[in-house]
Amino acid sequence: MSERVHRPRRAVLYVPASNEKAIAKVTSLACDAVIFDLEDAVAPEEKAAARERLRNWFASRPEKTPELVIRVNPFASEWGTEDLLAARACAPDAILLPKVNTPRDIHDFDDALDETDAPEGMRLWIMIETPKAMLNLGALAEFGRDRAARLDCFVAGTNDLVKETGVLATPDRRYITPWLMQMVLAARAGGLDVLDGVSNDFRDLAAFTRECTEGAAMGFDGKTLIHPAQIEPALKAFSPSPEAVAEAEAISTAFARPENAGKGIISLDGRMVERLHLAQAERLLGRAGRS
């Protein structure tokens, strides 16, 4: 297993795989990543055409693009196998698996990717959007520590959680905030990235910006988006401050010096800095696009 690469995932835009015009605009967008959606955004009668559209686009994909992810349908669904094969053929940076409930769901999908000889660098993201997933967060996150697994990122599926639990959806998200914090905690335990859920009213950018600010304060790495107008506020909210970036670069540079090779703790500007601070610095630089 290759070493995990930290990369910015501040603004991650869902693009319906059935929307040819939206797909054509992907390379012009400033978002960090794009999720081509074969699941909820595509009607059953359009799924075959959507798969073919993605195959064609990836076959001639531009050299410079955001991180590219394909959200498939649940592996056990009637579309799961065809989605897996199409996504494997497209060779995106990652595949996003929805409706994950237990570690077995990850294990089975990971095995299926291996059976198709998917490249080692193809990562796996999973949706946290069911009550069972919430109850199994710790076990799911453990795959992030397994060097033989592909798991790289949790994605909060807040709309489905609201639907599945019947909890009241309020503008301040007061009733789902404890669940969001649990996702962040589990992701950090597993060394994973974690993305906040979508904000449904893309016209209310003030409310969206508040959610971004709160999500960043909770510890999320970024936010999933449903409209390009949401990209700029998300980038701003989830970007580290210049001061934080400068400090992280100083820590990274200090540990990279030959005289500090192998050291677990060093002195920097009159304070002691440990390797755990280096890991935090590298993560922050990844979020800032400096890794």
Side-chain angles (χ1 to χ4, degrees):
M1 176 66 68
S2 57
E3 187 177 350
R4 186 170 183 269
V5 176
H6 295 285
R7 58 197 307 175
R9 289 165 178 160
R10 300 160 297 180
V12 179
L13 179 68
Y14 284 108
V15 173
S18 56
N19 190 328
E20 189 169 2
K21 289 183 178 179
I23 292 173
K25 295 178 180 177
V26 161
T27 55
S28 66
L29 300 175
C31 52
D32 293 319
V34 168
I35 299 172
F36 295 110
D37 190 12
L38 286 168
E39 194 211 10
D40 288 344
V42 180
E45 64 273 14
E46 296 179 338
K47 291 189 185 294
R51 289 188 210 105
E52 191 61 27
R53 185 172 290 109
L54 286 186
R55 287 191 185 98
N56 292 336
W57 188 87
F58 272 88
S60 58
R61 61 186 285 186
E63 191 170 310
K64 190 173 182 180
T65 66
E67 185 175 14
L68 301 175
V69 184
I70 297 177
R71 180 163 75 169
V72 296
N73 282 273
F75 192 37
S77 72
E78 61 182 293
W79 307 288
T81 299
E82 288 300 320
D83 280 1
L84 167 65
L85 294 175
R88 167 63 187 89
C90 291
D93 297 298
I95 295 176
L96 174 56
L97 184 64
K99 306 299 185 292
V100 169
N101 288 311
T102 69
R104 173 58 59 182
D105 296 325
I106 298 177
H107 187 275
D108 290 347
F109 197 79
D110 204 26
D111 280 352
L113 285 174
D114 290 342
E115 289 169 6
T116 65
D117 292 324
E120 184 180 287
M122 186 182 295
R123 313 308 296 160
L124 178 62
W125 296 12
I126 64 170
M127 299 292 302
I128 305 298
E129 56 184 347
T130 69
K132 279 190 177 181
M134 289 300 308
L135 292 175
N136 288 312
L137 272 177
L140 296 174
E142 281 299 305
F143 280 88
R145 298 295 183 187
D146 183 351
R147 293 185 62 82
R150 299 172 183 270
L151 187 61
D152 204 46
C153 187
F154 280 172
V155 180
T158 45
N159 284 336
D160 278 271
L161 275 173
V162 167
K163 181 185 71 173
E164 293 292 329
T165 60
V167 69
L168 181 64
T170 60
D172 62 3
R173 304 199 294 178
R174 71 182 70 178
Y175 299 117
I176 66 169
T177 293
W179 300 339
L180 295 172
M181 294 299 300
Q182 283 182 282
M183 291 181 205
V184 173
L185 190 64
R188 296 299 173 248
L192 302 168
D193 279 353
V194 57
L195 304 179
D196 195 1
V198 299
S199 182
N200 296 314
D201 186 355
F202 64 85
R203 294 164 297 187
D204 191 346
L205 290 181
F208 175 76
T209 299
R210 284 196 300 273
E211 279 195 18
C212 288
T213 301
E214 291 166 357
M218 290 180 203
F220 282 96
D221 295 287
K223 193 166 180 68
T224 45
L225 321 176
I226 60 172
H227 194 277
Q230 297 174 325
I231 293 174
E232 186 176 349
L235 290 175
K236 183 176 180 180
F238 288 96
S239 291
S241 69
E243 294 79 14
V245 171
E247 181 180 5
E249 287 179 334
I251 292 172
S252 180
T253 299
F255 272 103
R257 292 179 185 136
E259 64 268 25
N260 292 328
K263 290 185 178 179
I265 185 169
I266 64 174
S267 175
L268 178 63
D269 298 330
R271 61 192 177 96
M272 305 309 292
V273 180
E274 301 178 52
R275 290 246 163 215
L276 67 89
H277 299 116
L278 175 61
Q280 292 170 343
E282 290 174 341
R283 185 181 193 86
L284 185 144
L285 293 173
R287 285 173 53 205
R290 302 288 185 88
S291 58

